[in-house]
Amino acid sequence: MEAKKLKTNQKTLNGKVVVPGDKSISHRAVMFGSIASGVTTIEHFLPGEDCLSTISCFKNLGVDIERDGTKVTVYGNGLSGLKEPNAVLDVGNSGTTIRLLMGILSGQPFHSVLIGDDSIAKRPMTRVTLPLAQMGARISGRNKAEFTPLSLSGGDLKAIEYKLPVASAQVKSAILLAGLQADGVTTVIEPEKTRDHTERMIQMFGGEVKTDGNRVSVCGGQQLAGTHVRVPGDISSAAFFLVAGAIVPNGSIELTNVGLNPTRTGIIDVLKQMGANMVIEEEQTEATEPIGTIKIQSSTLKGTVISGDLIPRLIDEIPVIALLATQAEGKTVIKDAAELKVKETNRIDTVVNELRKLGANIEATPDGMVIHGNNSTLKGGTVSSHGDHRIGMMLAVAALISDGDVYLENSDAVAVSYPNFFDDLHSLF
Ligand code: S3P
């Protein structure tokens, strides 16, 4: 496909964006709807490629699911209603789909085979296959079940207490989903708190979960009941406009319906720390998740340090935060973020290499990056998303402050989490 010519030299950015549905919550709403009894209706679902992969996998498991744009209806038959698939389950680019699905399949007395795209084939899976095997699932795959294709036969699980070696909501969720089907109480201990959408959703579907500091426990054998889920807007998608509004001259953007779950709002803390001109109005709770409106304007920014337990609260926003830091005064250090190496791409390398092509002063470190901000415009060049949606969107925002032509290769990747991204961005010109 031809490289996309991006908008550059943008002198204003004004208007309102209704942020599309949260990716993590959209996946979980379909999954919980599928394993609950009765009908689940989902509103403001994210029709991104990743979440469509989740729908297609559950259809292959015998669940009746209807979608009309952002409205989804799931006819759940309970945990014992899933059927052995007669085709391979293809998760596409979606790490959340494959890891959480393995948790569900671990409790199911049948055989499944899971595959994904070239990026999924490189992503580590023993972080989930090891604990699930300890619970009793039989999983095999390339390189001792580290990589896809993976094959899994489940059933007869026993509860475990498991200390996560890395802070990962996907691993925590996979173990909790298996725990709902195990004999006894399953406990996950997190090194740092990660997004808690799974825990909230268990409660929304009438189940029980106990959280005590970084320990999360579920009891096996619970029955879940279908419900209505209105998915809040994705703060990880809002992040591109938050940064665009702060770094483009004469920027003034209002983002409505943004999910403000405290396990996800690290980017707001960083924007505040860096001095951004921003107002947040928290509103009601949607899907037992807080939401609100954020207004942001062009800002004078200063460098900062991003590390420790802040990292899981903004892990997906680091590419666009790196861009933000190029426009700050002084140095920004991002550390304790080695997990970036095993995302859709190695996001330490892709962020550093692509931003350097546009003239940014940024270096990779073993667990993050250092950005020397100089508050200056970037230059033109040809960059690539490398098939990573968040790298593609970050580069489209970078182009806005570039004074030469910028071409983006593989721009289609944005459809993984934000199919209307370019239209929403253009509405602000
Ligand atoms: C997600 C958890 C995070 C995040 C991913 C979505 C989830 O991954 O990066 O985009 O929905 O649980 P890890 O659990 O691997 O950190």
Side-chain angles (χ1 to χ4, degrees):
M1 210 195 73
E2 215 178 289
K4 185 180 177 73
K5 188 166 194 262
L6 297 173
K7 185 79 174 72
T8 53
N9 241 320
Q10 189 64 33
K11 296 293 177 225
T12 61
L13 211 51
N14 277 291
K16 224 183 205 185
V17 175
V18 182
V19 181
D22 186 279
K23 182 154 80 70
S24 293
I25 298 173
S26 295
H27 282 301
R28 285 162 173 80
V30 170
M31 292 182 180
F32 277 95
S34 295
I35 62 173
S37 304
V39 179
T40 290
T41 45
I42 309 170
E43 224 185 299
H44 204 53
F45 174 81
L46 171 68
E49 287 168 5
D50 266 12
C51 301
L52 299 181
S53 294
T54 293
I55 291 187
S56 109
C57 287
F58 279 90
K59 281 186 172 173
N60 278 328
L61 289 162
V63 183
D64 193 5
I65 304 173
E66 288 164 6
R67 183 175 72 87
D68 177 9
T70 59
K71 284 194 164 52
V72 176
T73 309
V74 185
Y75 299 90
N77 275 328
L79 267 166
S80 54
L82 299 180
K83 307 242 162 31
E84 186 165 59
N86 57 13
V88 163
L89 301 172
D90 186 350
V91 304
N93 189 245
S94 178
T96 305
T97 307
I98 193 164
R99 295 197 177 112
L100 271 60
L101 185 53
M102 280 198 273
I104 292 173
L105 294 175
S106 289
Q108 298 295 314
F110 55 70
H111 175 253
S112 324
V113 178
L114 297 116
I115 60 159
D117 67 6
D118 292 349
S119 156
I120 279 290
K122 294 190 199 119
R123 298 186 68 184
M125 294 298 154
T126 46
R127 51 180 61 197
V128 278
T129 57
L130 280 177
L132 295 174
Q134 268 181 37
M135 296 177 82
R138 294 168 300 286
I139 309 176
S140 57
R142 207 159 43 91
N143 197 8
K144 299 198 174 95
E146 178 66 310
F147 300 119
T148 56
L150 288 160
S151 105
L152 193 154
S153 297
D156 290 331
L157 298 184
K158 51 181 186 303
I160 54 169
E161 176 166 314
Y162 194 77
K163 210 169 165 182
L164 293 186
V166 284
S168 164
Q170 292 177 355
V171 181
K172 169 178 68 176
S173 302
I175 300 170
L176 294 176
L177 284 160
L180 288 173
Q181 306 169 77
D183 194 10
V185 177
T186 293
T187 300
V188 182
I189 304 154
E190 308 191 83
E192 277 119 24
K193 223 169 165 33
T194 64
R195 64 191 70 193
D196 63 359
H197 307 302
T198 298
E199 294 91 306
R200 289 176 189 248
M201 213 163 265
I202 291 173
Q203 287 171 323
M204 273 195 74
F205 280 79
E208 268 180 44
V209 59
K210 202 174 136 218
T211 303
D212 179 9
N214 286 9
R215 289 173 70 90
V216 187
S217 306
V218 289
C219 202
Q222 301 188 43
Q223 297 303 311
L224 302 173
T227 187
H228 179 70
V229 181
R230 190 180 144 78
V231 181
D234 198 328
I235 190 165
S236 298
S237 298
F240 299 101
F241 298 106
L242 290 173
V243 170
I247 67 177
V248 168
N250 307 306
S252 178
I253 304 179
E254 183 175 323
L255 301 162
T256 57
N257 182 43
V258 188
L260 294 174
N261 179 317
T263 61
R264 296 283 299 281
T265 50
I267 183 157
I268 291 176
D269 297 358
V270 166
L271 280 161
K272 281 186 188 157
Q273 239 164 268
M274 293 177 79
N277 202 343
M278 182 178 60
V279 180
I280 301 164
E281 286 156 21
E282 202 159 318
E283 289 149 28
Q284 75 273 37
T285 288
E286 295 246 356
T288 73
E289 298 269 355
I291 64 158
T293 295
I294 309 180
K295 291 178 189 155
I296 187 138
Q297 292 186 324
S298 308
S299 308
T300 305
L301 303 161
K302 53 182 190 294
T304 188
V305 176
I306 303 168
S307 63
D309 58 9
L310 185 53
I311 296 295
R313 296 180 53 236
L314 47 66
I315 188 74
D316 292 339
E317 288 66 76
I318 290 177
V320 81
I321 289 173
L323 168 65
L324 179 75
T326 68
Q327 299 308 298
E329 208 171 281
K331 187 167 85 171
T332 293
V333 179
I334 301 173
K335 55 187 183 187
D336 306 324
E339 272 296 295
L340 289 174
K341 293 182 186 168
V342 292
K343 293 296 176 188
E344 286 82 332
T345 54
N346 175 334
R347 284 186 178 159
I348 296 182
D349 290 351
T350 44
V351 167
V352 169
N353 295 338
E354 298 310 304
L355 280 177
R356 271 193 181 164
K357 289 181 189 166
L358 300 179
N361 187 347
I362 174 168
E363 295 149 41
T365 63
D367 67 345
M369 53 194 95
V370 177
I371 304 107
H372 302 276
N374 50 9
N375 197 14
S376 68
T377 52
L378 298 173
K379 62 176 187 176
T382 298
V383 289
S384 173
S385 72
H386 294 272
D388 184 333
H389 53 130
R390 300 203 199 279
I391 300 296
M393 290 186 274
M394 178 275 281
L395 291 167
V397 177
L400 299 174
I401 52 160
S402 300
D403 62 6
D405 289 348
V406 180
Y407 293 89
L408 175 63
E409 292 172 345
N410 214 337
S411 59
D412 283 5
V414 306
V416 159
S417 64
Y418 200 158
N420 292 331
F421 173 72
F422 288 109
D423 293 339
D424 284 356
L425 184 61
H426 284 222
S427 75
L428 301 172
F429 293 165

